[in-house]
Amino acid sequence: MPPLRTALLQSSGRPGHVDENIKVLDEAARRAADSGARLLVCPELFLTGYAMGADVPRLAEPADGPSARAVAGIAARHGLAVLYGYPERAGEQIFNAAQLLGPDGAALANYRKTHLFGCFEQEWFTPGEQTVVQAELDGVRVGIMICYDVEFPENVRSHALAGTDLLLVPTAQMHPFQFVAESVVPVRAFESQLYVAYVNRTGPEGEFEFVGLSCLAGPDGTVRTRAGRGEELVIGEVDPEFLSASRAANPYLNDRRPGLYGSLV
């Protein structure tokens, strides 16, 4: 099975301007497709911006809303899958969500952030209740979570036990927590034997300062590609053959003794 070439869009776009962010995504998709990528991953709440404050209800859309249709057109036009973050309206509730659309524009998976970070998120969003959300892309089992979710090892391990090969983590990681991008994410990839694509916002936005440092970490704990602190599109490869060999050499999942861990939950 050939590697899945994956593009990470490190950008904050234009917060509050959905149409402009869709244009940024379209251009990134063109560049990613030209590089041979089959998947483009955007940051948390990319379509709207993160520091929305009281604009959350105004900017929220259904999973099949106009922005979803616009992104589906981008995916189909450039022939690659796209994962994008957005505020999802479902009835009276609003979720911090990320949706994966296939290379034909079809909806493959929609994930709602389960662990909300800080007062802003807890005020405006409802936490999701489904930890493991997956889809198949070019023979790779792709899982989704958002930002703070990856900092809970139980979350990532749940994905590993469910067979996730590549974990997509759109994020809005801010100063002074850059150690998560630098250290925690590669460790998560190693201890659960999967690839992790961690894709961040960058620069100042409202009261936040996003640190960039997006990366694709492999199951051996090494970073395959890493962005700096500014706007950037970086490309890496998810190699199923390497993943299989790494899992055989590092049998954490097989050597677990679940009966000893009951007190954890």
Side-chain angles (χ1 to χ4, degrees), residues 2-24:
L4 176 64
R5 196 162 175 81
T6 301
L8 316 182
L9 173 59
Q10 179 168 286
S11 173
S12 289
R14 289 194 61 193
H17 298 273
V18 175
D19 290 345
E20 292 299 317
N21 292 330
I22 288 174
K23 291 178 183 177
V24 172

Side-chain angles (χ1 to χ4, degrees), residues 123-165:
E123 178 180 0
W124 291 106
F125 297 110
T126 299
E129 295 296 333
Q130 187 174 354
T131 301
V132 177
V133 173
Q134 298 170 310
E136 295 289 327
L137 180 63
D138 292 357
V140 174
R141 186 170 295 182
V142 176
I144 309 168
M145 60 177 54
I146 298 174
C147 197
Y148 193 40
D149 290 331
V150 80
E151 298 177 38
F152 295 82
E154 304 93 333
N155 257 6
V156 182
R157 182 53 57 84
S158 294
H159 269 274
L161 294 175
T164 294
D165 301 315

Side-chain angles (χ1 to χ4, degrees), residues 193-235:
Q193 287 298 295
L194 38 66
Y195 283 88
V196 179
Y198 187 79
V199 187
N200 200 9
R201 305 178 67 81
T202 180
E205 186 181 334
E207 63 184 287
F208 308 108
E209 176 74 30
F210 298 113
V211 299
L213 301 175
S214 301
C215 66
L216 176 66
D220 57 351
T222 64
V223 172
R224 299 299 196 272
T225 188
R226 166 84 73 187
R229 296 298 185 103
E231 303 269 336
E232 196 169 349
L233 182 73
V234 296
I235 310 290

Side-chain angles (χ1 to χ4, degrees), residues 15-46:
H17 298 273
V18 175
D19 290 345
E20 292 299 317
N21 292 330
I22 288 174
K23 291 178 183 177
V24 172
L25 195 158
D26 191 13
E27 173 59 18
R30 182 194 64 76
R31 292 166 55 202
D34 287 348
S35 79
R38 289 283 291 166
L39 170 63
L40 171 65
V41 186
C42 302
E44 181 176 5
L45 295 172
F46 178 74

